[in-house]
Amino acid sequence: MPEYHPCTYFGGDVEVTDERYAHVLEEHFDLVQRYWGRVAETLADPDRVYQSRQDSKGSVFIRWYDDLNKNVLVVTISDPDGRNWLVTAYMTRKTPKGEVLWERS
């Protein structure tokens, strides 16, 4: 069953399919096992949203967590029909490059 997480930037939900959840679990086990709730928080209340450099329909959400000393980064795709879905999520100390679409003031 897919999960749906509210996203204020999109004004709707971001879908996490079983396949994408399995991908994040396989590639970024620690994020899923210990900090999966941070993915939902990042979508709901990001520090910044960037335009994806890999896909014109992609957005990159980022939020810094002091207790992790890292960012949680969530990559999404928006389909023309209005569906928003998660591609991947991971923790990093780096900040994405590219066009900032939105930033917390």
Side-chain angles (χ1 to χ4, degrees):
M1 277 322 265
E3 293 180 14
Y4 295 90
H5 298 287
C7 178
T8 52
Y9 178 75
F10 290 138
D13 291 336
V14 171
E15 179 182 1
V16 182
T17 65
D18 292 342
E19 186 271 333
R20 291 287 85 200
Y21 181 84
H23 161 79
V24 177
L25 180 63
E26 182 178 315
E27 298 295 323
H28 310 286
F29 181 80
D30 195 43
L31 175 64
V32 172
Q33 290 300 306
R34 298 181 65 200
Y35 306 112
W36 185 246
R38 306 288 176 98
V39 170
E41 290 173 0
T42 300
L43 288 168
D45 191 22
D47 291 333
R48 268 175 255 101
V49 180
Y50 291 85
Q51 174 64 53
S52 170
R53 293 175 21 179
Q54 269 64 37
D55 190 317
S56 63
K57 296 176 280 183
S59 300
V60 180
F61 293 75
I62 191 166
R63 181 171 169 169
W64 177 259
Y65 287 93
D66 287 332
D67 62 319
L68 302 175
N69 197 30
K70 292 183 181 180
N71 291 298
V72 170
L73 192 140
V74 182
V75 180
T76 65
I77 296 290
S78 297
D79 287 342
D81 63 3
R83 177 179 171 241
N84 304 303
W85 55 278
L86 181 139
V87 175
T88 194
Y90 56 93
M91 295 183 293
T92 182
R93 286 194 176 92
K94 296 180 180 179
T95 301
K97 295 180 181 176
E99 178 186 358
V100 175
L101 300 174
W102 180 88
E103 187 167 12
R104 183 191 319 239
S105 52

